[in-house]
């Protein structure tokens, strides 16, 4: 069976017609593009080496742990007195911790002593 030639040139990792990633060759004699059904002979992949690598992002130390004794606070400051040290002004952030029909949870952090508290609204 003679396959029609492509009108574009590309490497064997991508379909020369639509640019989709081609599946790895299997036991069949042809490799078909899952998007446009363009076909290549499996013989075209003869001797091709396939390499892959996985790179993980570096794990950042969590707030309050690790070597940084005072992690950078993110979020705006609001006029709220810290119950531990009495400092006026706390940073806050909000999170939707429960279902969407319930209010958000507000987390406050004191920039002076790093005390944290939460308030459900």
């Amino acid at each position: 069976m003679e396959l029609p030639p492509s009108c574009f040139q590309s490497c064997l990792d991508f379909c020369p017609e639509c640019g989709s990633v081609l599946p790895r060759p299997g036991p069949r004699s042809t490799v078909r593009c899952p998007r446009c059904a363009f076909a290549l002979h499996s013989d075209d992949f003869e001797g091709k080496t396939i390499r892959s690598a996985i790179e993980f992002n570096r794990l950042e130390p969590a707030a309050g742990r690790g070597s940084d004794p005072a992690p950078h606070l993110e979020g705006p400051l609001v006029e709220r007195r810290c119950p531990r040290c009495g400092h006026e002004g706390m940073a806050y952030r909000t999170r939707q911790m429960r279902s969407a029909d319930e209010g958000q949870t507000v987390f406050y952090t004191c920039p002076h002593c790093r005390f944290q508290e939460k308030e459900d609204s």
Side-chain angles (χ1 to χ4, degrees):
M1 170 176 129
E2 185 66 30
L3 297 175
S6 172
C7 54
F8 297 105
Q9 293 290 330
S10 76
C11 66
L12 291 175
D13 294 331
F14 302 98
C15 174
E17 291 297 315
C18 69
S20 294
V21 177
L22 289 173
R24 291 186 175 172
R28 295 187 181 147
S29 62
T30 59
V31 174
R32 293 207 175 273
C33 174
R35 183 166 184 230
C36 71
F38 181 81
L40 290 169
H41 284 286
S42 294
D43 298 342
D44 295 342
F45 291 88
E46 184 85 25
K48 180 172 171 64
T49 303
I50 299 173
R51 292 190 181 114
S52 63
I54 298 174
E55 291 186 27
F56 294 98
N57 296 333
R58 289 189 175 261
L59 192 61
E60 298 294 327
R65 291 187 236 153
S67 61
D68 188 8
H72 176 68
L73 290 177
E74 292 186 16
L77 290 176
V78 359
E79 293 181 20
R80 183 179 180 103
R81 185 177 303 275
C82 174
R84 179 184 285 164
C85 71
H87 182 266
E88 187 62 46
M90 294 182 82
Y92 77 95
R93 61 186 171 91
T94 61
R95 283 268 167 105
Q96 187 69 38
M97 304 297 285
R98 299 170 295 188
S99 62
D101 62 340
E102 297 182 32
Q104 295 183 17
T105 301
V106 183
F107 296 91
Y108 295 97
T109 306
C110 176
H112 186 259
C113 71
R114 302 291 190 239
F115 175 76
Q116 293 183 342
E117 65 179 343
K118 73 176 186 173
E119 180 179 281
D120 296 319
S121 53

